């Protein structure tokens, strides 16, 4: 659930290296990205699905705002990679389109979908009723909010008063989790808000924060890449759907959903997510705005 207007530490990420050296201010937007053992999942064009959408130039232009691992991040060459990028690429393959991934400021992605500069937004968008007023969302995953802490330092997300908690600024974890809890604690909860989730994880690793609050796959990714220095704490809560954002009523929505259904039925969808360490919250049928297409 990324920014409302929704994002950790990858492979041998610069964040972990910085934390290991007890340095500050050296987090980079470029990370060693793909998981060990990653292999490209081959997906072919499906003519009957491709016929559902006529793209003028044959290119599916998609934008994301990294880093938000494992959904989108940059490799050592500065190329966009990640679960969501790979899944959107697979949708393009089914539709017989070339795939073009662009890095953009998060706040610009939905407006650029509206003005047709982009075909699709793929940047950890939570499918909310407010956003559905202007966009359709091709759903691909359910995720809740999950806290992570330093290993062996017990933190209770249901009893947060007196804690210092790191979060990515303007995410649902800040607006719907931490801010209400701070109010319930009478202000006795310090929120450290950062521009990226990897900086929030770094705050935990270096002891500046007791815990971090983030979407469950993001927290899990940070823990997996922390070399045992972090662990999840408590259950994830407030699960909500992620979706690819397209223009409301555009033919791309049903076509992309049909492509997603094909990926689900052929096992490619599960294979892509598994390579990025995501095995919970998977959908078993394609949906637009949480409504099955069949």
């Amino acid at each position: 659930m990324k920014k409302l207007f929704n994002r950790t530490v990858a492979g041998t990420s610069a964040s972990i290296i910085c934390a290991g050296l007890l340095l500050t201010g050296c987090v980079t937007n470029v990370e060693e990205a793909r998981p060990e053992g990653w292999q490209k999942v081959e997906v072919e064009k499906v003519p009957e699905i491709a016929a559902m959408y006529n793209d003028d130039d044959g290119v599916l232009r998609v934008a994301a705002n990294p880093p938000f691992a494992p959904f989108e991040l940059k490799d050592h060459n500065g190329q966009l990679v990640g679960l969501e990028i790979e899944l959107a690429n697979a949708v393009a393959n089914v539709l017989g389109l070339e795939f073009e991934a662009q890095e953009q400021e998060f706040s610009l992605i939905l407006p650029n979908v509206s003005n047709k500069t982009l075909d699709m937004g793929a940047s950890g968008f939570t499918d909310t009723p407010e956003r559905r007023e202007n966009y359709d969302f091709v759903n691909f995953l359910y995720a809740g909010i999950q806290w992570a802490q330093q290993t062996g330092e017990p933190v209770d997300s249901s009893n947060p008063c007196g804690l210092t908690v790191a979060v990515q600024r303007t995410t649902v974890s800040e607006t719907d989790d931490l801010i209400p809890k701070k109010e319930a604690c009478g202000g006795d909860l310090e929120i450290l808000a950062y521009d990226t989730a990897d900086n929030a994880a770094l705050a935990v690793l270096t002891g500046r924060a007791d815990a971090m609050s983030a979407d469950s796959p993001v927290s899990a990714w940070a823990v997996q890449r922390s070399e045992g220095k972090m662990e999840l704490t408590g259950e994830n809560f407030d699960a909500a759907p992620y979706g690819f954002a397209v223009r409301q009523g555009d033919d791309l929505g049903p076509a992309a959903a049909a492509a997603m259904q094909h990926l689900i039925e052929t096992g490619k969808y599960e294979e892509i997510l598994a390579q990025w360490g995501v095995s919970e919250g998977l959908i078993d049928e394609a949906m637009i705005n949480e409504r099955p297409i069949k």
Side-chain angles (χ1 to χ4, degrees):
M1 292 170 282
K2 211 189 265 187
K3 301 175 185 174
L4 287 176
F5 167 138
N6 279 335
R7 260 167 208 261
T8 262
V9 218
T12 330
S13 81
S15 301
I16 294 298
I17 294 172
C18 291
L21 296 175
L22 298 180
L23 300 177
T24 54
C26 58
V27 175
T28 176
N29 202 38
V30 180
E31 308 174 22
E32 292 299 330
R34 294 188 177 96
E36 184 178 355
W38 177 90
Q39 292 183 337
K40 180 176 174 58
V41 177
E42 299 293 340
V43 177
E44 297 182 354
K45 177 181 177 179
V46 180
E48 58 268 31
I49 298 177
M52 296 175 63
Y53 178 64
N54 180 31
D55 187 276
D56 292 338
D57 62 1
V59 180
L60 186 69
R61 290 182 171 83
V62 177
N65 178 228
F68 188 50
F71 294 93
E72 47 264 345
L73 58 158
K74 293 162 108 177
D75 65 15
H76 62 282
N77 293 316
Q79 299 298 309
L80 280 173
V81 297
L83 180 161
E84 197 167 4
I85 301 300
E86 191 169 340
L87 194 58
N89 196 353
V91 167
N93 289 342
V94 175
L95 296 176
L97 301 174
E98 293 184 27
F99 181 73
E100 181 181 305
Q102 303 178 13
E103 178 182 2
Q104 294 190 4
E105 289 295 324
F106 188 84
S107 62
L108 298 179
I109 294 175
L110 291 181
N112 284 336
V113 170
S114 295
N115 66 29
K116 300 186 179 182
T117 305
L118 295 171
D119 299 305
M120 178 185 291
S123 196
F125 288 106
T126 305
D127 173 6
T128 66
E130 294 78 14
R131 285 176 171 158
R132 291 178 191 171
E133 294 178 3
N134 298 295
Y135 305 93
D136 288 330
F137 289 87
V138 180
N139 304 124
F140 65 88
L141 186 71
Y142 281 88
I145 296 171
Q146 175 73 63
W147 281 33
Q149 63 181 39
Q150 277 196 18
T151 301
E153 298 291 334
V155 172
D156 184 357
S157 61
S158 64
N159 185 25
C161 300
L163 296 176
T164 297
V165 185
V167 69
Q168 181 176 354
R169 185 176 290 107
T170 72
T171 62
V172 171
S173 289
E174 181 183 31
T175 59
D176 292 14
D177 181 26
L178 297 186
I179 290 177
K181 286 177 177 175
K182 181 171 183 174
E183 293 172 352
C185 290
D188 188 23
L189 168 63
E190 184 178 0
I191 302 173
L192 299 182
Y194 295 94
D195 289 337
T196 65
D198 58 350
N199 280 336
L202 181 58
V204 177
L205 285 164
T206 56
R208 294 196 298 272
D210 299 300
M212 68 177 287
S213 174
D215 290 5
S216 47
V218 174
S219 290
W221 183 266
V223 167
Q224 291 167 9
R225 277 24 184 210
S226 71
E227 299 178 351
K229 296 180 177 69
M230 290 175 64
E231 62 185 356
L232 300 177
T233 180
E235 300 295 326
N236 73 68
F237 51 93
D238 292 346
Y242 277 76
F244 296 134
V246 300
R247 288 179 292 278
Q248 192 176 65
D250 194 280
D251 288 344
L252 178 57
M260 185 68 66
Q261 183 65 36
H262 174 77
L263 296 173
I264 292 170
E265 292 174 353
T266 58
K268 303 291 188 179
Y269 162 78
E270 185 176 0
E271 186 178 352
I272 290 170
L273 269 63
Q275 289 203 125
W276 291 94
V278 176
S279 59
E280 297 182 357
L282 277 64
I283 59 174
D284 55 15
E285 59 180 336
M287 298 181 291
I288 297 177
N289 303 335
E290 279 196 288
R291 295 183 178 180
I293 63 172
K294 288 186 175 181

